[in-house]
Amino acid sequence: MSHQIKGVGKLDTAYDGSNLKIGIVHARWNSTVIDALIKGAVEKLKAFGVKESNIVVSSVPGSYELPFGTKVLAESKEGPFDALISIGVLIKGETMHFEYISESVSHSLMKLQFDINKPVIFGLLTCLTEEQALARAGVVEGSHNHGEDWGAAAVEMAIKHNANQ
Ligand code: DLZ
């Protein structure tokens, strides 16, 4: 018998997202995967009760632009937001581009949370192949859409770890 140990654990409580405002910033590179991830995140947010009118979606050209785009949305008149989700899909090519961008964007998104004092959910897929990316966005039959996990993480962080309450 095989036991699956990988993956996000069960939620500790039932969260009510009906009073939350969530900002999503996404890159446009690799749009088939991006679109599926956004859909997964938005559907999960709505399943937690977040109103569609309280979900603001904004785009940047590529993943490199995610930290700045997320900061600008977080501090814009569209807010205040309870949490932000940064979504991008990096797929390794022939050069070192992938390594540099993966690392710098990851560090910048982590740091951004402390700069703006808001949770920034890490929705950056760093994939070695297109197949890996598709298999993490629910595009391949039977695969899990990680965007759903990001939506759930945004609601939990906004409610349980809200530094601005
Ligand atoms: C240039 C580039 C390349 C090669 N690959 C990706 C990718 O796989 N995913 C992604 O989100 N963006 C990529 N980009 C674009 C850069 O992130 C950035 O938009 C440009 O270098 C302009 O700053």
Side-chain angles (χ1 to χ4, degrees):
M1 188 167 49
S2 73
H3 296 281
Q4 188 174 346
I5 58 164
K6 231 176 129 193
V8 64
K10 282 199 181 67
L11 276 177
D12 50 355
T13 187
Y15 290 102
D16 172 14
S18 58
N19 289 320
L20 298 180
K21 187 160 194 183
I22 308 290
I24 296 178
V25 179
H26 69 87
R28 292 192 301 274
W29 266 72
N30 309 315
S31 61
T32 305
V33 183
I34 289 282
D35 292 348
L37 293 167
I38 297 167
K39 188 164 176 278
V42 168
E43 279 176 5
K44 188 59 93 174
L45 289 171
K46 290 204 273 187
F48 276 100
V50 181
K51 297 179 191 77
E52 195 155 2
S53 56
N54 281 337
I55 302 172
V56 178
V57 181
S58 169
S59 75
V60 291
S63 293
Y64 183 78
E65 284 75 37
L66 278 175
F68 192 70
T70 305
K71 182 180 194 296
V72 168
L73 180 66
E75 294 173 345
S76 73
K77 283 187 295 208
E78 303 250 32
F81 295 98
D82 298 290
L84 295 115
I85 308 175
S86 300
I87 298 179
V89 176
L90 285 164
I91 300 177
K92 188 166 169 54
E94 291 174 5
T95 68
M96 290 295 287
H97 178 270
F98 171 84
E99 281 79 2
Y100 285 114
I101 303 240
S102 299
E103 189 161 351
S104 61
V105 173
S106 304
H107 282 304
S108 297
L109 290 176
M110 171 65 83
K111 183 174 178 294
L112 180 59
Q113 307 183 89
F114 302 102
D115 293 343
I116 63 174
N117 213 23
K118 302 270 167 161
V120 175
I121 304 304
F122 184 65
L124 181 67
L125 293 184
T126 53
C127 300
L128 300 178
T129 64
E130 290 185 11
E131 289 70 31
Q132 286 183 352
L134 292 167
R136 281 155 185 76
V139 177
V140 177
E141 181 75 18
S143 69
H144 177 62
N145 186 332
H146 285 236
E148 295 174 15
D149 302 339
W150 305 335
V155 171
E156 177 176 347
M157 290 303 290
I159 295 173
K160 192 163 69 175
H161 300 285
N162 188 334
N164 303 287
Q165 271 174 356

